[in-house]
Amino acid sequence: MRALAISMLFTGTLLVSPLASAAAVKGADGQTVEIAPPKRVVAVNSSLVEILFGLGKGGTVVGTDVGGNFPPEQAKIAKVGHPYHPSVEGIISLQPDVVLTSQENLDAATAAQLRGARIPVLVLENSSKDGIAGLKRRIEAVARLFDIPEAGQKMTREMDQRLAELNKRIAATKTKPRILFIYAHGPGEAFVYGRDTGVHVLIELVGGQNAADFTTGTKALTAEGMVLAAPDAIIMLNRSLEAVGGAAGALKMPGVALTPAGKNSKIIAVDDTVRWVGPRFPLFADSLFTALHANARP
């Protein structure tokens, strides 16, 4: 595979799609992609995979990274490596018409390598920032690439409807719980997520306050920081919670037992993809809201 990929890089045997009926879409990196609706797509970012399936274009996805878990069909799609450093050779070997990615998943050097192999690369906005507004712009860009703007508009309308219903429930609670996200590979390695993250967006969608909004991005978890953050609830990825030994294991992490969340055992599992804002966020927010306020219900 390596020899094949390198050969393609230097000989340029991979060609871009014909420009007939091409859509011109400008990426977040200033580079414009102008191709006919693609038939073979490598999507590096789980939220982009979900957008493609939601738009009815899941059948075009021939490669993706290992970070996604939805829809179930994505498990059968070829993988091109870690979401933050995918394999250039793996992507080239799949001969895509276009690579769809977001700013945080593909650096400029990697994008240049792919473009050097004559593979169009559309870099969309960072999927962890600017919340639902940024997500809508990414949906609109993907729909435009496939020349199916109505499908994109339908997807955004459905999200708006779900969020409007959730906002009615939030308004009725008149509370603003402090919520902290812990990302852990195991009991000895954990981080909290501050502003400019997908998790921050999720916390705001449920009417909460990010207890780690004192920082931007990620920060190592410390007992002192945990006590100062004083979260009412702690959320963790399903796989993180499993890695630390469940809720009982989470309570043994630095400072957790001293917080209101720890004292009330308010440890809530969330989907493994919430670090990237995607089309299922209204559903994630609804589930999290229900879990947060479970004890307040009759």
Side-chain angles (χ1 to χ4, degrees), residues 78-213:
K79 297 298 184 282
V80 296
H82 192 279
Y84 290 115
H85 40 80
S87 164
V88 171
E89 295 175 358
I91 293 173
I92 292 174
S93 71
L94 294 171
Q95 303 185 36
D97 297 323
V98 66
V99 175
L100 289 183
T101 186
S102 58
Q103 289 172 306
E104 74 272 32
N105 295 110
L106 205 68
D107 59 33
T110 304
Q113 279 185 283
L114 293 169
R115 287 167 178 150
R118 304 186 68 184
I119 296 176
V121 179
L122 180 58
V123 180
L124 301 176
E125 294 178 65
N126 189 317
S127 67
S128 302
K129 297 181 179 178
D130 209 15
I132 297 300
L135 171 61
K136 288 180 178 178
R137 289 193 290 270
R138 295 198 305 281
I139 292 171
E140 190 273 337
V142 176
R144 187 149 37 95
L145 186 70
F146 283 88
D147 195 23
I148 50 172
E150 296 82 6
Q153 293 159 9
K154 180 175 182 291
M155 180 180 283
T156 57
R157 279 198 306 272
E158 290 174 349
M159 290 195 308
D160 284 341
Q161 290 170 359
R162 292 192 181 106
L163 290 174
E165 292 170 3
L166 174 61
N167 286 336
K168 292 178 183 176
R169 296 173 65 193
I170 292 171
T173 65
K174 303 185 185 304
T175 62
K176 196 176 183 68
R178 293 177 59 80
I179 306 170
L180 189 78
F181 173 73
I182 298 179
Y183 178 74
H185 294 295
E189 183 181 10
F191 301 87
V192 298
Y193 276 41
R195 297 182 303 275
D196 289 341
T197 63
V199 174
H200 185 84
V201 173
L202 179 63
I203 291 171
E204 291 196 328
L205 284 180
V206 299
Q209 178 184 351
N210 188 353
D213 64 0

Side-chain angles (χ1 to χ4, degrees), residues 22-108:
V25 184
K26 188 175 183 178
D29 60 350
Q31 300 295 311
T32 297
V33 169
E34 187 171 3
I35 61 172
K39 296 180 180 178
R40 295 180 61 83
V41 178
V42 170
V44 182
N45 185 288
S46 63
S47 76
L48 292 176
V49 174
E50 294 187 23
I51 289 172
L52 287 164
F53 273 89
L55 294 175
K57 295 299 178 182
T60 68
V61 184
V62 297
T64 185
D65 60 81
V66 299
N69 63 10
F70 186 88
E73 293 92 324
Q74 65 80 35
K76 299 178 181 178
I77 297 173
K79 297 298 184 282
V80 296
H82 192 279
Y84 290 115
H85 40 80
S87 164
V88 171
E89 295 175 358
I91 293 173
I92 292 174
S93 71
L94 294 171
Q95 303 185 36
D97 297 323
V98 66
V99 175
L100 289 183
T101 186
S102 58
Q103 289 172 306
E104 74 272 32
N105 295 110
L106 205 68
D107 59 33

